[in-house]
Amino acid sequence: MKLLRLGPRGQERPALLDADGRPRDLSGLLRDITPRTLSPEGLAALRAVDPAALPLLPEGLRPGLPWRGCRKFLCVGLNYADHAAEAGMALPTEPILFTKQLSSLVGAQDSVVLPQGATKGDWEVELGVVIGRTARCIEPDEALAHVAGYCVVNDVSERSFQLERGGTWDKGKGCDTFGPVGPWLVTADEVPDPQALDLWLDVNGQRMQTGNTRTMVFGVAALISTISRYCTLHPGDLIATGTPPGVGMGMKPVPRFLQPGDEMRLGISGLGEQRLPVKAWDRALFDDR
């Protein structure tokens, strides 16, 4: 299934896509798509529903976050060997972990707003893993059974905050709007091998990133197992699993960074696409949050 939430911010309706890619309204069956919906029992109940029996929603509605109630937004750094090379950093011997603030979460067509003082905004297309069962100190061979589904994530970064101001990476990772997710959550049964997915990202129509999840240093199962030893993973938690090469910071001879007026388009095979306008910081852009 492809699950999504459509409508203006704060008024999103739960939906699924039918076999023809048309949005079907789930609001007659559930109030919203929540961590409970993403449990094995919740997803089994939705699979029993005939999409053709659900009302169609209008085309062109804004895609919001595909689910509500994410408690943790966890990320993995330098998880593609070729990306580590372009960054001039050694391959990690175990996953590099950091967090993005929940206030960074936005939908797949929302604006990315560069924060005050930003000079080095950057892009990172990533496979997102959404947890469906509580995971605590689990083994790699158990890990994928704890996945509700997968989605597209853009780990937008402000490199000057991340790398030049001391402390942790989180400074440049968790800015408001720096975590576009969606447009859909694709349930795990439709992604038989998360290590065989193509990723891409364009800026203003120019291809910047091309990669495949098979080149991850640590695969999805290993990441879930490792993270579950540092913190309990709950249904609805999101893991962004790292990015392939082609980020702006790594461009030679001159890095390329985001500017107001740019547009990012990115996607992952089978998981949909994002289209994100980049804007300069303006307090009025946050009046509805």
Side-chain angles (χ1 to χ4, degrees), residues 100 104 111-122 156-162 165 170-179 258-260 278-283 285-286:
K100 290 176 85 80
S104 71
S111 298
V112 168
V113 182
L114 300 175
Q116 287 183 322
T119 58
K120 297 180 179 180
D122 210 343
V156 184
S157 309
E158 171 51 42
R159 301 299 189 188
S160 66
F161 295 3
Q162 176 191 357
R165 295 196 176 185
D170 300 45
K171 287 180 179 178
K173 292 289 190 173
C175 304
D176 293 346
T177 76
F178 271 24
L258 293 169
Q259 302 295 324
V278 179
K279 296 185 178 181
W281 193 89
D282 184 333
R283 191 181 304 277
L285 295 172
F286 300 95

Side-chain angles (χ1 to χ4, degrees), residues 115-130:
Q116 287 183 322
T119 58
K120 297 180 179 180
D122 210 343
W123 53 83
E124 297 188 26
V125 59
E126 307 202 4
L127 173 65
V129 179
V130 186

